[in-house]
Amino acid sequence: MRLREVCKKFDGGIDAIGGVNLSVAPEEFVSIVGSSGCGKSTLLRIIAGLVPSTGGTVEVHGEPVMAPRRDVGMMFQRPALLAWKTSLENVLLPLRMRRTVQVSDLEDALRLLDLFHLGGFEHHFPRQLSGGMQQRVALARLMMTGADVRLLDEPFGAVDELTRELLNLELLKIHDRTASATIFVTHNISEAVLLSDRILVMSPRPGMIAADIPVPLERPRSPEMAYSTAFQKIALKVRYHIQLSQSERGMTG
Ligand SMILES: Nc1ncnc2c1ncn2[C@@H]1O[C@H](COP(=O)(O)OP(=O)(O)O)[C@@H](O)[C@H]1O
Ligand SMILES: [Mg+2]
């Protein structure tokens, strides 16, 4: 994935994104942190081909993004499941929209649900599941698309802290099994450090990349790493750059 000078000005004059340059390698997990309104969701929607940029280029696998692509999967803060479909049917949905579902697809979907500890809930409807379980269905659906570029927009922002920790573990597990080029938007600094190879700090509007911080912790990662000095040093650095980008904005108005 490669972005060059990506800009977005909305009708009405809001300058949301002011020139983002970014490359994400095939198996790299990159987080974006930054205050709300700095253009993170807009940037992800542009990469997903859901919103046109007003300047610059986005390439995935060497091709310019003009519309949504099958090899780019996106997940949102709300699980966005269809209320009248079961977990299993929600997971199969992206495939059904493309072609006839085979028995092997069904098996894949069941295996994914099992991987996300949803065995026994395959035939439940979203309203019968907790928020964290719904997000796991959405994660399984994202995996089912087979997209090797994944965009996650604050996917765990609406769940409680313990559930978030469990979901982080699921996501680490997925990334270890099937690493993909991932961009993960979060407000949670520890979450970003635990999951990422690199953390980008986005400055307030118009959003730009204010800092690009590597996370040289070994993989596989474990939650216990959060107590290490190395981990905490990186978290502090991220916090420092968030504050810096905000105060610079304050000085320039
Ligand atoms: N469709 C839209 N039309 C006009 N302004 C928008 C639209 N979508 C987002 N914005 C504005 O663009 C800025 C960035 O929004 P967004 O990308 O949602 O930020 P973030 O995800 O970082 O909170 C905000 O000021 C928001 O109000
Ligand atoms: Mg957002």
Side-chain angles (χ1 to χ4, degrees):
M1 182 179 356
R2 183 185 288 274
L3 282 68
R4 288 194 190 89
E5 293 301 326
V6 170
C7 302
K8 179 69 182 181
K9 207 179 188 122
F10 283 106
D11 298 339
I14 288 182
D15 222 350
I17 297 173
V20 167
N21 290 296
L22 167 64
S23 289
V24 181
E27 303 201 334
E28 196 175 26
F29 194 115
V30 175
S31 285
I32 300 183
V33 297
S35 49
S36 47
C38 75
K40 303 180 296 295
S41 297
T42 304
L43 188 66
L44 256 54
R45 288 199 192 101
I46 291 172
I47 300 171
L50 297 170
V51 165
S53 66
T54 45
T57 55
V58 178
E59 278 177 12
V60 168
H61 297 311
E63 294 163 11
V65 173
M66 320 293 278
R69 296 167 56 103
R70 281 181 189 177
D71 49 7
V72 178
M74 186 147 173
M75 179 168 163
F76 304 91
Q77 180 166 356
R78 296 292 189 97
L81 304 176
L82 295 183
W84 60 93
K85 297 232 182 243
T86 62
S87 307
L88 180 60
E89 278 305 320
N90 268 291
V91 172
L92 285 169
L93 198 67
L95 278 190
R96 277 208 198 285
M97 287 168 23
R98 281 180 214 161
R99 59 173 171 82
T100 314
V101 166
Q102 319 279 325
V103 175
S104 61
D105 298 325
L106 214 62
E107 287 166 0
D108 286 348
L110 289 170
R111 206 172 306 124
L112 275 171
L113 284 167
D114 204 42
L115 175 72
F116 290 112
H117 305 293
L118 290 164
F121 293 91
E122 299 88 347
H123 304 296
H124 285 57
F125 292 93
R127 65 170 183 280
Q128 299 171 302
L129 306 175
S130 69
M133 289 165 93
Q134 291 182 27
Q135 275 312 55
R136 299 210 299 267
V137 175
L139 267 178
R141 183 181 53 188
L142 178 66
M143 298 297 296
M144 195 69 196
T145 63
D148 59 2
V149 172
R150 298 183 196 135
L151 308 170
L152 296 99
D153 192 359
E154 300 188 45
F156 310 143
V159 299
D160 63 77
E161 203 49 39
L162 281 175
T163 307
R164 177 197 288 269
E165 281 180 20
L166 290 173
L167 289 166
N168 281 336
L169 288 179
E170 307 290 348
L171 200 54
L172 279 174
K173 209 159 62 182
I174 293 175
H175 196 68
D176 288 340
R177 292 163 67 115
T178 59
S180 64
T182 302
I183 300 187
F184 182 89
V185 171
T186 179
H187 284 293
N188 188 306
I189 296 176
S190 315
E191 178 176 77
V193 178
L194 180 66
L195 297 173
S196 311
D197 298 309
R198 205 146 57 94
I199 300 173
L200 308 176
V201 176
M202 214 159 150
S203 64
R205 222 176 53 216
M208 285 186 258
I209 293 169
D212 185 338
I213 300 159
V215 183
L217 302 172
E218 63 189 22
R219 287 190 188 270
R221 303 267 173 89
S222 67
E224 291 73 35
M225 286 180 170
Y227 300 98
S228 72
T229 314
F231 189 105
Q232 285 174 8
K233 262 190 176 162
I234 299 164
L236 273 174
K237 193 166 171 185
V238 174
R239 181 175 298 280
Y240 168 77
H241 279 283
I242 292 173
Q243 281 166 352
L244 189 68
S245 74
Q246 284 170 350
S247 63
E248 274 168 1
R249 156 129 180 125
M251 282 189 292
T252 56

